[in-house]
Amino acid sequence: MADDEVVLATGGVTHVVRVGPTVRRPWRPFTATIQSYLGHLHEHGFDAAPLPLGVDDRGREVLSYVPGHVPLDPLPDDTTTDEVLVALVRLVRRLHDAAQSWVPPSDAVFGGIPGRSASPLEPLFDRPELVAHQDYCPGNVVFREGLPAALIDFDLARPTTRVADLVNLLHWWAPLQHPVDRAPALAEVDVAARVRVAVDAYGLTPDQRAQVVPVAVARARNSVHTMRAAAEADPVFRAWWESGTAEKVTRTRDWVTAQSPRLAATLA
Ligand SMILES: Nc1ncnc2c1ncn2[C@@H]1O[C@H](COP(=O)(O)OP(=O)(O)O)[C@@H](O)[C@H]1O
Ligand SMILES: [Mg+2]
């Protein structure tokens, strides 16, 4: 590694280093597609994402470094307010509006977590509407002045719907998680009320609003299968699976399913 390289992350999924105003990440089969997508977002007024800067002389992906602070799971107390939730949802709404007009090239390649579920998955939509981020875990949101200011790590971006993408955000930030798995400041929070705050901030149509809870239930059920398959396929996911993820995804599924009538009533 050259002297001017600072390791931002390693041991997670991706080895990321910073070099001055840029970051370098491994080039993967979906990287060209994602760079084209990021270019479209910037051309259409969404600048709250890294700029795609091509490839370096060592074959790595080059992106602009996004200044700010990136929280990690569990969410620190000051990232658990309704104000933060609303700001993040508005950011994602802007992302969606810029992404709407992007038509993936015919040779587009999209990423995904490793492995293939042995059990059939429940579809989250009939037809994709746009390509969106699909991975709003805390480590992928950059804060500035206490509020979400940008999104990074588009490795799981793929064709989806506004509702399915928003449900991913809700999983992490409402959060649609069992109380024992939440950050301390969110352990006792009224999640249904937070879901309503988020959905109101997005401005879904009545039709889309009615899909939120069924999509959240299907996503939580699918996650048990997809995370198990990832653990079988990849050592990083296996380590997570064996150190709590197995129990967590099951608790999430059971909790979201049990709460679904109350969540639906709160959104109605
Ligand atoms: N473009 C960027 N600007 C600023 N920080 C970044 C950028 N890309 C990555 N990082 C930092 O590196 C961490 C890991 O990078 P990320 O792209 O999210 O990889 P992973 O696949 O491991 O989640 C992020 O949580 C963030 O702190
Ligand atoms: Mg990440």
Side-chain angles (χ1 to χ4, degrees):
M1 197 173 86
D3 289 348
D4 57 347
E5 301 201 353
V6 179
V7 177
L8 292 179
T10 181
V13 173
T14 315
H15 184 81
V16 185
V17 299
R18 178 177 177 182
V19 186
T22 69
V23 301
R24 314 293 167 109
R25 308 166 88 249
W27 188 277
R28 284 157 298 167
F30 51 81
T31 303
T33 298
I34 296 306
Q35 288 227 350
S36 149
Y37 175 67
L38 290 172
H40 178 95
L41 295 180
H42 281 271
E43 282 159 22
H44 290 76
F46 187 80
D47 59 1
L51 270 168
L53 302 172
V55 63
D56 72 8
D57 56 6
R58 292 170 51 185
R60 298 176 298 186
E61 173 181 34
V62 187
L63 297 164
S64 62
Y65 175 81
V66 179
H69 173 72
V70 179
L72 293 177
D73 204 28
L75 288 171
D77 291 1
D78 61 351
T79 66
T80 59
T81 63
D82 283 4
E83 193 192 4
V84 164
L85 181 64
V86 166
L88 179 59
V89 168
R90 291 199 177 132
L91 195 60
V92 169
R93 172 72 203 236
R94 284 182 49 222
L95 167 76
H96 287 178
D97 291 346
Q100 182 80 55
S101 53
W102 189 65
V103 180
S106 57
D107 58 353
V109 177
F110 293 104
I113 63 168
R116 215 189 142 90
S117 166
S119 314
L121 300 177
E122 297 174 47
L124 302 190
F125 46 82
D126 295 332
R127 231 171 299 106
E129 302 162 350
L130 78 179
V131 170
H133 188 288
Q134 291 283 322
D135 188 16
Y136 299 107
C137 64
N140 291 340
V141 179
V142 182
F143 280 67
R144 287 195 290 268
E145 289 164 20
L147 289 176
L151 303 167
I152 55 174
D153 189 0
F154 285 71
D155 289 356
L156 298 185
R158 59 168 67 238
T160 181
T161 61
R162 289 172 184 261
V163 169
D165 196 52
L166 184 61
V167 161
N168 181 282
L169 184 161
L170 294 173
H171 167 78
W172 291 105
W173 295 86
L176 289 174
Q177 296 172 23
H178 188 283
V180 303
D181 296 317
R182 298 181 206 152
L186 292 166
E188 315 247 303
V189 83
D190 181 352
V191 170
R194 299 249 302 164
V195 168
R196 189 169 63 194
V197 163
V199 165
D200 287 349
Y202 187 96
L204 293 177
T205 66
D207 229 35
Q208 289 171 322
R209 206 175 163 99
Q211 292 167 29
V212 170
V213 176
V215 169
V217 172
R219 179 196 180 276
R221 294 190 348 189
N222 286 347
S223 281
V224 176
H225 302 304
T226 56
M227 291 303 285
R228 181 185 292 119
E232 282 163 8
D234 181 283
V236 171
F237 282 83
R238 187 173 317 125
W240 289 341
W241 182 258
E242 287 169 358
S243 61
T245 295
E247 293 77 19
K248 206 184 264 193
V249 289
T250 308
R251 272 194 301 271
T252 298
R253 178 197 63 196
D254 295 344
W255 184 85
V256 172
T257 306
Q259 291 296 312
S260 61
R262 199 178 116 66
L263 291 165
T266 308
L267 281 184

